[in-house]
Amino acid sequence: MNYDKLISKAIDMLNYSYVPYSHFHVGAALLTSDGNIYGGCNIENGAYGPSICAERTAIFKAVSEGQKDFEAIVITGGPENLKTGKIELNELCPPCGVCRQVMSEFCSKDFKIILARSQSDYQIFTLEQLLPLSFKLDK
């Protein structure tokens, strides 16, 4: 599968991050089984607890609009260079444990998690690889 459009959307979502405390931008793009794409970005809060990751933003947007059948998500992120203001995508940006558990709630074990630095530099994992033996309701 060609993930170019999904990677582009995730990289674009970096521009919407609200990160005045960490200066670490994260963008996500979630692909539904019917081809829709939901973008997400991380949004921080001074109290920290109310902050939300890009992955959960995208998933919750989709679920709130009735979507619950997901194929893949692209996650990209990196620190903002405070001198230049540019976001540096030097490393892969894997989902945190909370986001992995949210994915487990809504996604199959073979759900694709694509960690991208660019259109040509990415790695693909399944949810099972990143969260083996997850807690999940039997449906």
Side-chain angles (χ1 to χ4, degrees):
M1 175 175 216
N2 185 328
Y3 293 110
D4 286 351
K5 187 175 179 182
L6 206 57
I7 292 170
S8 290
K9 178 68 172 179
I11 291 171
D12 184 52
M13 293 307 299
L14 293 166
N15 298 311
Y16 300 103
S17 292
Y18 178 74
V19 292
Y21 306 101
S22 72
H23 301 283
F24 193 92
H25 298 257
V26 181
L30 176 69
L31 177 65
T32 64
S33 62
D34 61 3
N36 288 326
I37 296 174
Y38 289 84
C41 63
N42 56 328
I43 303 167
E44 296 179 346
N45 185 282
Y48 193 69
S51 298
I52 188 165
C53 299
E55 304 91 302
R56 284 182 282 144
T57 299
I59 291 168
F60 293 162
K61 281 170 61 176
V63 171
S64 73
E65 293 183 23
Q67 295 281 347
K68 291 184 187 159
D69 192 11
F70 306 127
E71 299 272 328
I73 192 167
V74 171
I75 305 164
T76 189
E80 178 182 333
N81 182 314
L82 298 178
K83 290 182 182 178
T84 65
K86 293 186 179 185
I87 301 166
E88 299 175 344
L89 304 178
N90 300 325
E91 302 291 329
L92 295 178
C93 185
C96 73
V98 173
C99 288
R100 293 175 198 209
Q101 183 59 43
V102 168
M103 288 177 200
S104 178
E105 184 73 21
F106 294 104
C107 305
S108 67
K109 291 180 179 187
D110 63 344
F111 175 73
K112 303 285 185 288
I113 301 168
I114 301 128
L115 308 181
R117 287 184 283 246
S118 70
Q119 295 284 356
S120 60
D121 186 6
Y122 61 88
Q123 292 183 27
I124 302 172
F125 301 89
T126 64
L127 180 57
E128 176 70 13
Q129 288 174 304
L130 295 184
L131 187 64
L133 303 173
S134 64
F135 175 79
K136 188 169 185 169
L137 291 175
D138 289 329
K139 295 182 184 180

